[in-house]
Amino acid sequence: MKNMIETKNLSKTYKAFTAVDHVSLHIKKGSIYGFLGPNGAGKSTTMKMLLGLTAPTDGDFQIDNLTFPNDRVQILKKIGSFIESPSFYPNLTGKENLDIIRRILGLPESSVDEALELVGLSEFGNRLAKKYSLGMKQRLGLASALLGEPPILILDEPTNGLDPEGIIEIRKLVLDLNKKSNITILISSHYLDELSKIATNYGFIDKGHIVEEISYEELNSKIREKTTVKIK
């Protein structure tokens, strides 16, 4: 299976501080890649580089065989993103908020209803955004990322601030999207437990360095080895 996203020695330095240090990721097409690490580990900075929001200091990356920065526009057309907490116009409805993004992207009107349906917000599309719960706002953020049904989703801690029920809802939504549309999903989190039931592959990052890339099966095997008690 080919890599949909591949970085090679990707680095980002701010004056004397190195936020991302020679990171090489290998994200297979159709996978859910859990990107895990503590605050300040370099997750968000890596994702922002993939989206062209900040320029790499060193290294390069390819997305669906397109190379940054030469193919920047074509790359961005393939990606839906959810970076940090989404913000919406509170006095506009969910549908109206999405329609603004749709117009900017030059997408057909039908794409708004399709995105709302994908995230389970069809019946709430005409509700004012200020009356949405936090979980519904997160879903609306995912809907904005899904406009036009991109083949790649980059989600930066989409469960941040949610209660346990909201976390379960977002996890199920991500899993359903991947299964239905074979979307390649890069999703970050602080906690392994949040992604342990949905991710097919993992990348662990700490202090800007990739500690390990590992599959779901390999990770589970390691966990079993550590928890096995030998009876003499």
Side-chain angles (χ1 to χ4, degrees):
M1 188 181 295
K2 77 168 187 175
N3 290 324
M4 180 65 94
I5 301 174
E6 186 169 339
T7 73
K8 184 177 180 182
N9 296 322
L10 201 61
S11 302
K12 180 64 180 181
T13 300
Y14 299 96
K15 295 184 178 179
F17 173 67
T18 300
V20 175
D21 195 356
H22 294 85
V23 163
S24 295
L25 299 178
H26 307 84
I27 302 173
K28 293 181 174 61
K29 183 176 181 179
S31 68
I32 300 177
Y33 189 98
F35 198 29
L36 290 146
N39 274 333
K43 303 187 300 297
S44 295
T45 303
T46 300
M47 290 177 157
K48 286 176 181 178
M49 284 191 281
L50 295 177
L51 292 167
L53 298 176
T54 187
T57 306
D58 196 12
D60 53 61
F61 63 88
Q62 287 190 333
I63 293 181
D64 199 15
N65 294 322
L66 298 170
T67 304
F68 185 88
N70 295 339
D71 303 314
R72 181 177 180 274
V73 174
Q74 294 94 313
I75 285 173
L76 291 178
K77 287 180 179 179
K78 291 178 175 286
I79 301 174
S81 63
F82 179 113
I83 301 294
E84 299 173 346
S85 296
S87 58
F88 300 102
Y89 294 103
N91 292 316
L92 296 181
T93 65
K95 184 178 287 190
E96 288 169 339
N97 271 283
L98 292 185
D99 196 58
I100 292 171
I101 301 170
R102 175 197 69 81
R103 290 169 183 268
I104 292 170
L105 296 176
L107 297 170
E109 290 184 19
S110 60
S111 62
V112 170
D113 288 330
E114 289 165 0
L116 287 170
E117 184 177 352
L118 280 171
V119 301
L121 283 180
S122 293
E123 62 181 298
F124 304 106
N126 291 318
R127 179 180 292 185
L128 294 178
K130 66 182 178 183
K131 294 186 177 181
Y132 277 23
S133 67
L134 181 56
M136 291 171 70
K137 286 178 181 176
Q138 297 293 80
R139 281 178 174 267
L140 189 61
L142 286 174
S144 69
L146 288 165
L147 283 170
E149 298 186 17
I152 302 166
L153 278 182
I154 293 180
L155 309 176
D156 188 15
E157 300 188 16
T159 60
N160 194 25
L162 295 181
D163 58 22
E165 184 178 347
I167 291 171
I168 291 170
E169 286 181 2
I170 296 299
R171 280 194 310 212
K172 183 179 183 302
L173 177 58
V174 168
L175 193 59
D176 287 347
L177 288 170
N178 176 256
K179 285 183 176 179
K180 288 177 183 176
S181 307
N182 200 38
I183 296 174
T184 303
I185 301 174
L186 169 59
I187 178 170
S188 70
S189 177
H190 291 81
Y191 306 110
L192 177 59
D193 283 351
E194 286 187 10
L195 303 180
S196 62
K197 293 179 175 62
I198 62 171
T200 57
N201 299 83
Y202 301 87
F204 292 89
I205 187 170
D206 189 31
K207 297 177 181 177
H209 296 274
I210 289 294
V211 178
E212 185 176 28
E213 282 192 305
I214 192 169
S215 70
Y216 172 83
E217 292 78 13
E218 290 168 333
L219 180 61
N220 271 356
S221 178
K222 283 191 174 187
I223 291 172
R224 284 195 299 270
E225 287 175 7
K226 288 182 179 180
T227 57
T228 298
V229 177
K230 292 182 179 180
I231 302 175
K232 294 183 180 179

